[in-house]
DNA sequence: GATGAATGAGTCTTCATTCAT
DNA sequence: CATGAATGAAGACTCATTCAT
């Protein structure tokens, strides 16, 4: 992946993700972040306007990673049910790796009603899935009398929620496959065109 | 329900909900809350051990209200699809009224990984819905090869998510019915026993 | 004099005057002030809304002291030229004692164009001198074709300026009497009714 | 006048005057100034040793402008009362134009007791007026038993003070002539040789 | 139980200044 | 001469919490 910004931006962003994962947002100070990033206090403000500006940046970063991972794994297997499986898999993987930061993203959402910002971040993801769904309808893989936009959003939120619920609740490890299957079937029953 | 505590507890809790709705959690100080509640600074700590203790209390309060509302409207109409409709309706209503605080509850979740606390709060709600689901299975209203526990949780999170997404995004008003129907059908397709 | 506020207000105010006299406003931190005053950091903000709020308070304090000193020394000797002499004397005394803070007051003026605040602080002093001047005119001690308001202000600013100029410039000590006489004569020539 | 330094010095100085007029000294950062001047951050330090060095430079600039304006208008009319009138006029004009920066100069004075610097800046102005006064005494236009040095300084400070007081207090516009006349008469009564 | 004045630790943010290019 | 990215020291201010009354 080619970085959106030069090295220092990413250094700070990654340091932030690390530290916040360990201590939580509230207990993480800018001082912690810059120390970890190996830059000066003031340098932070050269790349982020404030502490709050970190959260959308982290979310954006996470989502980009997720979508890239998904696309990479699809590699031509465009069948809807394949894609759905990959989406579920990849979401579970990313959620596992970044669970501590993901929760914070929800919190960030609360910090300043920046719903527009949020929607903007998810935009790419939504559009991508909407197209997948439309194609699936055309190929008669799924039912057609659904609202594509709404369905895309509901699938994403459902998968993300399930993954978070799974990992944040510290379930026993072997349950993961059961969980994912249950989720897949739930969606399949709702969308499969017989 | 008779209140868990005397008048001052509720005075403070309601003041907190009000102020937090207006200013957000971060910008709300204990000082703001007690001023609104008309009690002294120290009095807060007679009823809440800390500022963080407010969030589960608020969530508990909200959930209690929701479940009470649902139960009241059911009144014997125990048919699963009736119940589901009422759950959706009531969740949308409460979300509309308290949307500003609800987002905070997610954030609160992030504040100190108090997942156990969170699960405890939802416990009653989960149990109640699990029973509803079990009964529905027995009555053959819905399919039987599902994980009841998992399904209860996924339904609740799906409905809550949809409601939040709807109200926080400031959709046009007339869309609400469409949204609720789409949601209901989505669930029905997935659970209905033909 | 009975203090306008209770003990802690004055403790902080006096500590501020002391420290600022020693280090200058810019180099004086709130931390310095509260340490000197023997109170906690936060206590400062219970009595002053900000660091800037100190300056008018100091000015007010200084002017009150000056005017009280003058009134005390007058004691019935209401003759205008007596009063003028006392005003000059007292201004020189106070300026000598507080010269380091007085300069700051001018600076404070610059900090936020709070001319109204400034005028309000001087109001009492102005009114008092206007009355003295009016009486002097009536007693034919001074000429009558002058603008009383304007003259009161110009006398005060002239005397204050001369005193500051004298002490801040570190003139040789024996020059003080010469300076005061020159000032007195300058005013007398301008106002004396032959 | 030929500028003391090349174009960039003046660019920065003028930008500083502009920005400081708008925002006040405290809220003006070097960054603001260089942005306005259209030069790089580091360039500032090629021409000024520090932020504080700006203030004497501004004051010097202002005083030079004032004195040049006065000299230009005098043009041979060396009569003391003519000169005084011109001094008053010109001081009021400059004060009107630069009132926001002038206040700051006082504040600058407070910043680091640089009284010597201050005296140095005013030196030329003082000397010039001292000569005018001496000539006036010789021509018997004004009384002779005065301290020339002292009188020069008192006249300048009196006129400057009156002008500042006038403009900073936002008096009604038509009062200006009255004000100037009052000031002129005040000085004339004190110095005129009958 | 109730009060609210006092506390003081904690942190974001600013900005004058430097220096490698 | 000019640049402007990087620095990092410094400080104002907030606010959860306590405790004597």
């Amino acid at each position: 992946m080619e970085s959106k910004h030069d090295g220092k931006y990413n250094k700070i962003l990654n340091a932030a993700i690390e530290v916040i994962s360990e201590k939580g947002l509230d207990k993480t100070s800018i001082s912690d972040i810059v120390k970890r990033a190996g830059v000066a206090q003031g340098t932070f403000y050269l790349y982020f306007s404030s502490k709050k500006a970190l959260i959308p940046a982290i979310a954006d970063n996470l989502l980009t990673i997720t979508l890239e991972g998904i696309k990479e794994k699809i590699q031509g297997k465009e069948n809807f049910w394949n894609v759905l499986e990959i989406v579920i898999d990849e979401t579970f993987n990313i959620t596992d790796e970044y669970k501590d930061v993901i929760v914070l993203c929800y919190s960030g959402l609360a910090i300043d009603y920046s719903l527009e910002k949020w929607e903007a971040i998810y935009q790419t993801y939504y559009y991508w899935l909407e197209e997948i769904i439309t194609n699936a309808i055309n190929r008669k893989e799924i039912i057609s009398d659904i609202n594509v936009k709404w369905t895309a959003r509901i699938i994403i939120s459902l998968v993300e929620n399930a993954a978070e619920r799974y990992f944040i609740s510290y379930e026993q490890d072997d349950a993961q496959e059961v969980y994912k299957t249950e989720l897949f079937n739930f969606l399949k029953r709702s969308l499969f065109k017989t």
Side-chain angles (χ1 to χ4, degrees), chain A:
Chain A
M1 179 181 86
E2 223 249 301
S3 70
K4 235 186 351 195
H5 302 262
D6 82 329
K8 229 144 219 173
Y9 176 93
N10 283 318
K11 240 186 193 168
I12 294 172
L13 188 61
N14 291 323
I17 292 177
E18 274 178 48
V19 185
I20 293 171
S21 291
E22 292 166 16
K23 314 178 65 170
L25 181 65
D26 264 30
K27 282 182 207 142
T28 298
S29 65
I30 302 291
S31 162
D32 293 329
I33 295 170
V34 295
K35 241 175 255 160
R36 182 76 60 107
V39 300
Q41 192 88 0
T43 306
F44 178 89
Y45 292 89
L46 248 35
Y47 295 94
F48 297 92
S49 60
S50 76
K51 193 185 181 182
K52 288 195 313 204
L54 268 177
I55 297 160
I58 292 176
D60 192 38
N61 191 257
L62 249 46
L63 218 58
T64 305
I65 293 174
T66 309
L67 193 50
E68 274 171 2
I70 291 171
K71 282 176 177 171
E72 195 180 321
K73 289 202 176 160
I74 290 180
Q75 298 286 36
K77 296 181 289 181
E78 295 274 346
N79 174 283
F80 181 80
W81 305 107
N82 267 332
V83 173
L84 183 59
E85 221 172 337
I86 291 169
V87 165
I88 291 175
D89 267 0
E90 206 57 20
T91 304
F92 270 70
N93 289 344
I94 296 285
T95 306
D96 191 15
E97 193 174 346
Y98 295 101
K99 51 179 165 275
D100 304 304
V101 197
I102 285 171
V103 193
L104 136 87
C105 289
Y106 285 99
S107 125
L109 203 155
I111 280 175
D112 56 352
Y113 291 65
S114 48
L115 247 288
E116 306 76 30
K117 217 178 287 168
W118 225 243
E119 285 293 315
I121 291 169
Y122 269 82
Q123 211 56 270
T124 323
Y125 198 9
Y126 288 156
Y127 283 170
W128 172 83
L129 188 56
E130 285 173 25
E131 211 184 306
I132 298 282
I133 293 173
T134 307
N135 292 340
I137 293 176
N138 293 339
R139 289 201 214 103
K140 320 246 183 208
E141 289 166 12
I142 65 173
I143 58 173
S144 62
D145 58 338
I146 54 169
N147 178 327
V148 175
K149 241 183 109 174
W150 186 89
T151 308
R153 281 155 180 76
I154 222 63
I155 290 176
I156 290 172
S157 100
L158 194 54
V159 175
E160 287 187 345
N161 249 278
E164 283 151 30
R165 189 173 296 275
Y166 176 78
F167 287 109
I168 296 173
S169 305
Y170 308 114
E171 299 275 340
Q172 54 276 44
D173 289 319
D174 58 331
Q176 190 172 338
E177 284 313 313
V178 180
Y179 234 85
K180 293 205 272 193
T181 309
E182 194 84 30
L183 178 59
F184 183 83
N185 289 337
F186 184 89
L187 284 164
K188 190 161 190 181
R189 290 196 306 268
S190 198
L191 299 173
F192 188 61
K193 187 177 186 74
T194 46

